[in-house]
Amino acid sequence: MSATHATRAAEARETTEGTVYTVTGGDWDEITQAAADRADDEKIIVNMGPQHPSTHGVLRLILEIDGETVTEARAGIGYLHTGIEKNLEYRTWTQGTTFVTRMDYLTPFFNETAYCLGVEKLLGITDDIPDRASVIRVLLMELNRLSSHFVAIATGGMELGATTVMIYGFRDREHCLDVFELITGLRMNHAYVRPGGLAQDLPPGAIDALREFVKKMRKNLPEYDKLCTYNPVFRNRLKNVGYLDLAGCLALGATGPILRSAGLPHDLRKTDPYCGYETYDFEVPTTDTCDSFGRFLLRLEEMRQSLRIIEQCIERLEPGPVMVADKKIAWPAQLALGPDGLGNSLDHIKNIMGTSMEALIHHFKLVTEGFRVPAGQVYTAVESPKGELGVHMVSDGGTRPFRVHFRDPSFTNLQSMAAMCEGGMVADVIVAVASIDPVMGGVDR
């Protein structure tokens, strides 16, 4: 067959090791000429990351650009892989909370609550959780929603050059972390929510600190409207950037502010309530802009709604236990906040060591061996600041999980990056990724 009738193509694609040509036949001179012609165009491959100030962690973006236009965008992940899900198989059910709290390190209380709700469902004790424990869980999750959104707005503003927004955002996040430290003894990685309830009750002075916090946030939140919402430079930079309509969100499984910015008021706190959320009065904000500016507005309004829920939690805090009554599950029995952080209550240890040998043996076995969970599997989900955070866990009847897998919203939402960026300007990739607000600890797990 003559070269004229053969397929005369030298398709080229860019890889991390250079240009790879796929030759499917034809005259050699024509193939080399086609390759030379391709080399003359303006398409280039740009690596953003893995270490890049605009990628919200260790994320690599591989961009093919033609001039200033992104023609193809891909995400490279796995640089922050911690093996948390595998590690859970080698720890007791209670010890698992110390791992899951470290996944999405900006939303530790949501990770802990989703995990513990799953364990409690397998144990069949969901209805036995004390009301005070559920109220405090809701309180901490809404405080955590505030702190996460503050970081999203602060880092997003910083990446756009709006450094004042960054300063204000981290200033207000510090107030959230101060409350976390007061209640749990730590600023992050708390392991405060435990199967059956909480590690300990609120410390003295917590209610007054919470009231002062709400008062301060009511004063500070309007500053973001002045800085951003009504700032024409900020608005024009975010409008029509990172566009993803409702059909795209549903096809890609996007949830959270990305989905609600397309007009769908989907929020698990309303559609599939947990921890008594159906009894709280709050709204699910939406916009119909489908863009980065809409997601910014949503996060701002969600913070206002979170303050409403926090105020309701404060009024509902009736005295009572914060752990189930079943002593075969309620571990650790007593904790106290000491100068070096959260630990065993010395008074409790002295009591069980000095008065009851049975209590001492039980405490030892509960801490070292853990409780058994009936065989079965379950899926539970909570509405994290970034979307649906779900956990699928399997028990074989032992004291350790057989398998735990998290559906982290950052992982699922990140795949919408290509749809948002392709066809847009390379500078708009920064805006689109910031509006997704991914955290790579949750992506890689």
Side-chain angles (χ1 to χ4, degrees):
M1 182 183 292
S2 67
T4 308
H5 296 93
T7 303
R8 295 167 298 183
E11 294 295 331
R13 59 188 177 88
E14 300 294 334
T15 70
T16 55
E17 298 178 358
T19 306
V20 175
Y21 294 100
T22 303
V23 181
T24 56
D27 183 80
W28 179 251
D29 292 335
E30 292 178 279
I31 292 171
T32 54
Q33 183 59 46
D37 292 342
R38 182 178 176 84
D40 289 337
D41 64 24
E42 294 185 11
K43 288 187 178 179
I44 59 173
I45 305 298
V46 173
N47 263 305
M48 269 185 61
Q51 285 81 19
H52 192 281
S54 298
T55 53
H56 294 246
V58 213
L59 168 67
R60 179 185 177 210
L61 298 178
I62 304 109
L63 308 175
E64 182 184 272
I65 61 174
D66 185 357
E68 288 289 313
T69 303
V70 178
T71 56
E72 185 179 353
R74 288 174 292 156
I77 64 174
Y79 296 95
L80 198 58
H81 186 55
T82 51
I84 285 176
E85 290 182 355
K86 192 65 180 176
N87 273 309
L88 292 174
E89 299 170 19
Y90 297 90
R91 299 295 189 277
T92 65
W93 292 93
T94 301
Q95 287 173 328
T97 58
T98 62
F99 278 96
V100 300
T101 190
R102 288 165 163 78
M103 292 189 315
D104 182 342
Y105 36 80
L106 294 181
T107 62
F109 290 115
F110 292 92
N111 303 333
E112 296 173 23
T113 302
Y115 174 83
C116 291
L117 288 175
V119 178
E120 289 158 4
K121 201 168 182 180
L122 284 171
L123 286 167
I125 61 170
T126 301
D127 296 333
D128 300 330
I129 306 303
D131 290 340
R132 184 176 176 87
S134 293
V135 172
I136 294 174
R137 285 179 177 183
V138 171
L139 171 71
L140 290 171
M141 282 191 285
E142 295 308 317
L143 283 167
N144 204 172
R145 194 180 309 278
L146 282 163
S147 69
S148 178
H149 283 346
F150 278 133
V151 174
I153 292 173
T155 54
M158 177 185 66
E159 289 153 11
L160 301 179
T163 51
T164 306
V165 180
M166 183 267 291
I167 293 169
Y168 278 36
F170 279 103
R171 173 202 65 185
D172 290 335
R173 181 186 180 234
E174 282 298 308
H175 296 313
C176 298
L177 298 187
D178 287 343
V179 177
F180 293 163
E181 188 173 9
L182 173 65
I183 294 174
T184 73
L186 296 165
R187 289 161 54 90
M188 58 193 298
N189 302 336
H190 310 275
Y192 180 76
V193 182
R194 304 285 176 88
L198 306 171
Q200 63 166 4
D201 204 345
L202 296 178
I207 302 299
D208 292 336
L210 286 165
R211 293 187 194 278
E212 185 61 31
F213 171 83
V214 172
K215 182 179 177 182
K216 193 174 296 181
M217 289 303 107
R218 293 281 187 202
K219 173 179 173 291
N220 289 358
L221 277 180
E223 294 177 351
Y224 294 90
D225 285 320
K226 296 177 184 176
L227 275 172
C228 307
T229 309
Y230 304 115
N231 181 338
V233 177
F234 189 89
R235 290 168 66 98
N236 293 336
R237 187 68 187 87
L238 270 64
K239 278 191 170 183
N240 299 318
V241 175
Y243 185 90
L244 188 67
D245 61 12
L246 181 58
C249 290
L250 295 176
L252 294 169
T255 53
I258 299 176
L259 180 60
R260 292 191 285 273
S261 72
L264 186 66
H266 176 72
D267 189 312
L268 291 173
R269 295 175 294 175
K270 293 285 191 182
T271 61
D272 192 12
Y274 51 92
C275 293
Y277 264 111
E278 67 275 13
T279 64
Y280 291 86
D281 180 26
F282 67 99
E283 305 297 327
V284 178
T286 61
T287 67
D288 58 1
T289 60
C290 306
D291 61 7
S292 298
F293 187 62
R295 289 164 211 141
F296 163 78
L297 294 177
L298 278 179
R299 291 187 173 100
L300 207 53
E301 181 57 31
E302 283 181 14
M303 288 196 282
R304 298 188 184 101
Q305 297 300 324
S306 290
L307 287 177
R308 286 179 61 186
I309 298 173
I310 291 169
E311 288 176 321
Q312 293 171 61
C313 288
I314 294 172
E315 300 306 317
R316 293 187 185 196
L317 281 172
E318 300 291 336
V322 294
M323 181 59 81
V324 289
D326 188 350
K327 293 300 181 183
K328 293 182 179 179
I329 296 171
W331 183 97
Q334 294 289 331
L335 290 180
L337 187 59
D340 55 347
L342 196 63
N344 283 313
S345 166
L346 293 180
D347 291 337
H348 173 68
I349 298 299
K350 289 176 183 176
N351 179 55
I352 62 175
M353 289 184 73
T355 60
S356 171
M357 177 59 70
E358 290 80 7
L360 179 61
I361 293 171
H362 175 69
H363 182 85
F364 178 79
K365 283 187 64 74
L366 196 58
V367 171
T368 56
E369 183 181 308
F371 51 77
R372 293 188 178 274
V373 172
Q377 60 179 329
V378 69
Y379 176 82
T380 54
V382 301
E383 186 70 30
S384 93
K386 298 166 178 63
E388 180 177 338
L389 171 65
V391 53
H392 173 227
M393 54 176 58
V394 182
S395 172
D396 59 2
T399 58
R400 302 174 181 178
F402 178 77
R403 180 77 172 94
V404 179
H405 174 65
F406 276 80
R407 182 233 187 253
D408 195 281
S410 289
F411 177 79
T412 311
N413 292 345
L414 190 59
Q415 66 183 339
S416 64
M417 182 274 302
M420 291 182 183
C421 297
E422 289 176 359
M425 306 294 281
V426 65
D428 291 342
V429 174
I430 310 297
V431 182
V433 172
S435 74
I436 297 172
D437 185 31
V439 169
M440 303 315 294
V443 173
D444 294 332
R445 296 188 295 286

